[in-house]
Amino acid sequence: MIRSITDILPLELIVEIFMMLDYRSLVTCQQVCRLFHTLIAGSSPLQYALELAIAGKQDNSLSSFDFSHKLAALRQYQAAWGTLKWTNTKDIPMLRGNLWELYGGVLAQSELDCTIRFRRLPSQIREIEEHVWSVSTSDMDLRDFTMDPAQDLLVLIARPKQHRALDTRLEIAVHLRSLTTGNRHPLAPDPSILQHSIDEGVVEFSFIVQVCEDRVAVNFISHGAVPSELVVWNWKTGRKELNLRGPDLRAVSFLANHYILAGGFEDCNWFTEARLYVLDLTKCDGEPVTLEDVNYHCAFLYPPCSRWVTPLGFQIRTDPMSPWVPPASSNVPFFVDRDSRLLVITMFVAIGQELVSFDLFVLSRALLSFAEGLGPGSDRHNFSWEDWGPKNTRLMESPPHSQVWVCFVFGTKFASLVHGDFTFEDEADVRTLEVWDFNLNGVRRERCRGIVDAMEVEGDHIVEWHDHDSSMVHHAVFLENIQTSLPYRIVRRDLPSQKLGDGFADVLCSEDNLILVDVWSLVAVSCQSSDSDTYQALDRNIRLLTF
């Protein structure tokens, strides 16, 4: 006689076994029988595990909340973002310095009195309280900075200077300090300064500074004839792991802790080819090397461009750097999963007199699966566009996003602010807020609920689906038409109309907030003058939309 599983195992033990399964196995078990479906549906921990996978989130095991509390918060969080219904709004001042950063749920702005003001952004759903503090930088001429709240790390870059009159190189000091106190970081070497020199012929340059676990990367971007440079250190030991140089070094980002992604162009005789290079930091020695000579792990090739295209640059945006976890003291119930990261890669080119940019949307795990799938000894492997592009990406002419306020992506979300309707009666300009979500599990789950229309109108928001269509690029920049099909959805909501010239210009995105920047704040942050009267005249606010 065949006995039921409930005659062999108690229900509590069956649930404990389910707790050991991944979400795909749980979904399968739900479909085995009515008993399994009932057990899984009635268990808060199991439902929470499923909802985490669908939302692209990871559980915070250090949180004091129980599973029922976490599950309720996660469902509320997903519903709020899915309808763009924030729980609170608040205006904060745009400070008068010209440096800023947004990372790890912290917004930082510099002041004219040589301080940086940090603001931990609040969240009602994830129960994060707002906190404001300042750190002095009066002991240096600050040029740029970044931070990692999870490691209490503040990375400060001093303005380069010559040590001796006959030097042909400019020395740059990268200071490693505590984000909360401004003092030397306890895990940094002693002295807690990373040194690098650049050619004194660099008249104008900028930085991209990134932290990923125990590595810090600084991209020294030259805006002249001198090649740009990328330097990666282990900031805990001070060891330089990579020193990459080259005029075609256009943009960089961590793909994983040991992988760096760099954008570049290659002249292939009768056409121009854009490429994304993956560099394995464990195989680099810190000696100077050019992008042409570096023994890169692999490269992802774009479709070929016309011979008449002039490459101008790349921009790679992703947030957070992978992997990332909240600070140990944080009590948040969940946070974005390390594998749920969208990369927005912008390629800038000119063809004739026309300047044009294209955005490539791709998930980090897609690139990692290709890179990690290569066997040992397979360096300098090139993936053709047909191998990786059509099914794993969306390529299109760039939707609206700023080149100044560049934090428009977080997790799998991309935020954009587009022009709506112009109202002649009120002389008002309507802006529409858009959040594009490339979370594949979330898109599939919503579709399984019976949604069939490509666009839904629900109350004050609109949802547009792009999971059964493709994007076609037909432009003289490329030799052939390009078709891509990575699924995503767009949620739209109109903002209250603003007077002409007095509205919002850009939007930034973090885990719990959308941040609207008004037109004059954009002018203020772009201004390099230190004249306080100039900044006083442009004193405006930034608006936080909190979920």
Side-chain angles (χ1 to χ4, degrees):
M1 179 178 178
I2 299 176
R3 302 174 63 190
S4 168
I5 190 172
T6 57
D7 296 332
I8 303 173
L9 298 175
L11 298 182
E12 294 80 4
L13 184 55
I14 296 175
V15 171
E16 287 297 321
I17 294 173
F18 285 159
M19 289 287 291
M20 300 178 184
L21 303 179
D22 60 37
Y23 83 92
R24 291 185 178 88
S25 299
L26 276 178
V27 171
T28 301
C29 287
Q30 276 187 312
Q31 301 169 347
V32 169
C33 63
R34 183 174 299 176
L35 172 63
F36 282 11
H37 184 276
T38 301
L39 288 176
I40 294 173
S43 168
S44 292
L46 296 177
Q47 285 298 300
Y48 180 57
L50 288 172
E51 293 290 342
L52 283 173
I54 293 168
K57 299 295 180 181
Q58 185 173 335
D59 177 53
N60 182 12
S61 59
L62 301 178
S63 172
S64 62
F65 299 128
D66 59 28
F67 283 110
S68 60
H69 186 122
K70 291 180 178 181
L71 177 61
L74 181 55
R75 285 173 171 169
Q76 183 184 1
Y77 181 92
Q78 287 296 93
W81 277 99
T83 57
L84 289 184
K85 292 183 179 178
W86 39 87
T87 61
N88 191 31
T89 64
K90 179 180 181 179
D91 287 348
I92 62 174
M94 175 70 204
L95 302 185
R96 300 173 186 176
N98 64 339
L99 300 175
W100 68 277
E101 182 64 285
L102 173 64
Y103 190 74
V106 175
L107 176 65
Q109 300 181 70
S110 64
E111 270 279 31
L112 294 178
D113 62 355
C114 298
T115 62
I116 303 177
R117 180 73 58 84
F118 300 94
R119 183 182 301 269
R120 184 177 63 201
L121 302 180
S123 171
Q124 178 175 319
I125 298 175
R126 291 205 304 152
E127 302 186 30
I128 301 172
E129 294 184 1
E130 186 176 45
H131 175 57
V132 178
W133 73 100
S134 297
V135 166
S136 173
T137 61
S138 58
D139 59 334
M140 71 174 68
D141 185 4
L142 184 64
R143 178 60 180 81
D144 209 340
F145 74 96
T146 195
M147 58 192 171
D148 184 357
Q151 302 186 86
D152 189 36
L153 177 63
L154 177 62
V155 181
L156 304 172
I157 299 183
R159 196 174 299 276
K161 58 183 179 181
Q162 284 182 315
H163 281 276
R164 296 179 296 274
L166 297 180
D167 277 351
T168 60
R169 304 280 287 178
L170 298 176
E171 293 295 326
I172 296 180
V174 180
H175 298 252
L176 306 171
R177 300 188 178 181
S178 164
L179 181 63
T180 52
T181 67
N183 300 325
R184 170 185 172 270
H185 195 286
L187 298 181
D190 190 13
S192 57
I193 300 176
L194 307 174
Q195 299 281 355
H196 185 65
S197 61
I198 61 174
D199 197 300
E200 68 171 352
V202 177
V203 177
E204 181 183 359
F205 61 93
S206 56
F207 299 96
I208 295 177
V209 193
Q210 299 176 348
V211 177
C212 186
E213 291 188 315
D214 55 357
R215 291 185 168 100
V216 58
V218 182
N219 188 193
F220 303 87
I221 304 173
S222 169
H223 300 287
V226 177
S228 298
E229 295 189 41
L230 168 65
V231 181
V232 179
W233 289 271
N234 182 314
W235 66 267
K236 295 179 181 179
T237 65
R239 176 178 174 269
K240 186 179 293 186
E241 297 186 337
L242 176 67
N243 187 0
L244 189 64
R245 301 178 180 180
D248 292 327
L249 183 59
R250 307 288 180 162
V252 297
S253 177
F254 280 102
L255 184 60
N257 176 256
H258 64 294
Y259 283 144
I260 281 281
L261 188 67
F265 294 90
E266 184 166 316
D267 189 345
C268 300
N269 295 323
W270 59 277
F271 64 90
T272 300
E273 188 174 67
R275 294 185 169 203
L276 298 173
Y277 297 91
V278 178
L279 310 178
D280 188 343
L281 295 173
T282 64
K283 299 180 179 179
C284 300
D285 57 11
E287 294 299 319
V289 63
T290 65
L291 185 60
E292 293 76 17
D293 296 332
V294 68
N295 192 30
Y296 60 86
H297 180 62
C298 62
F300 296 93
L301 279 54
Y302 272 60
C305 298
S306 166
R307 176 63 176 168
W308 314 114
V309 165
T310 302
L312 298 178
F314 265 103
Q315 175 180 274
I316 304 176
R317 293 303 310 174
T318 186
D319 193 7
M321 293 295 116
S322 178
W324 190 88
V325 296
S329 59
S330 173
N331 197 39
V332 296
F334 51 84
F335 55 95
V336 65
D337 188 82
R338 65 186 63 192
D339 294 326
S340 297
R341 295 190 306 128
L342 174 70
L343 290 93
V344 182
I345 305 169
T346 307
M347 180 180 72
F348 304 92
V349 298
I351 182 165
Q353 299 299 313
E354 181 185 7
L355 302 179
V356 61
S357 64
F358 297 89
D359 281 353
L360 183 78
F361 298 85
V362 60
L363 295 171
S364 61
R365 63 173 174 264
L367 299 184
L368 281 171
S369 66
F370 283 102
E372 294 174 342
L374 295 174
S378 57
D379 289 342
R380 302 183 73 89
H381 180 88
N382 294 331
F383 291 102
S384 69
W385 170 255
E386 291 74 18
D387 290 338
W388 73 281
K391 293 183 179 180
N392 293 290
T393 73
R394 284 277 179 163
L395 179 67
M396 63 188 73
E397 286 197 56
S398 298
H401 58 74
S402 174
Q403 304 309 318
V404 176
W405 300 92
V406 293
C407 293
F408 43 73
V409 57
F410 186 90
T412 59
K413 295 182 176 68
F414 163 77
S416 179
L417 202 58
V418 301
H419 281 284
D421 297 326
F422 172 72
T423 306
F424 285 97
E425 293 81 1
D426 301 327
E427 294 187 344
D429 187 15
V430 177
R431 289 295 182 103
T432 299
L433 182 62
E434 294 187 349
V435 175
W436 303 23
D437 195 350
F438 290 79
N439 174 19
L440 302 186
N441 288 338
V443 170
R444 293 188 186 109
R445 202 269 289 272
E446 292 300 317
R447 280 301 202 183
C448 289
R449 290 178 172 176
I451 301 170
V452 294
D453 294 332
M455 184 177 295
E456 303 172 84
V457 179
E458 299 181 7
D460 56 1
H461 71 282
I462 297 173
V463 181
E464 182 176 308
W465 300 86
H466 293 275
D467 57 332
H468 294 302
D469 65 352
S470 58
S471 297
M472 180 67 73
V473 175
H474 176 71
H475 199 284
V477 164
F478 298 102
L479 294 180
E480 299 178 351
N481 294 343
I482 305 168
Q483 190 171 7
T484 52
S485 57
L486 179 66
Y488 68 105
R489 70 174 180 176
I490 303 175
V491 183
R492 293 191 178 94
R493 180 177 173 182
D494 287 342
L495 298 172
S497 60
Q498 302 284 319
K499 292 183 179 180
L500 288 179
D502 197 34
F504 298 113
D506 290 304
V507 60
L508 292 73
C509 185
S510 70
E511 189 158 13
D512 302 288
N513 304 87
L514 291 170
I515 303 171
L516 301 175
V517 183
D518 65 35
V519 174
W520 293 109
S521 291
L522 179 64
V523 174
V525 81
S526 300
C527 180
Q528 299 299 314
S529 171
S530 60
D531 185 348
S532 60
D533 293 335
T534 302
Y535 282 92
Q536 183 65 37
L538 299 176
D539 192 12
R540 300 300 289 266
N541 291 327
I542 297 173
R543 180 164 299 174
L544 295 181
L545 309 178
T546 301
F547 292 84

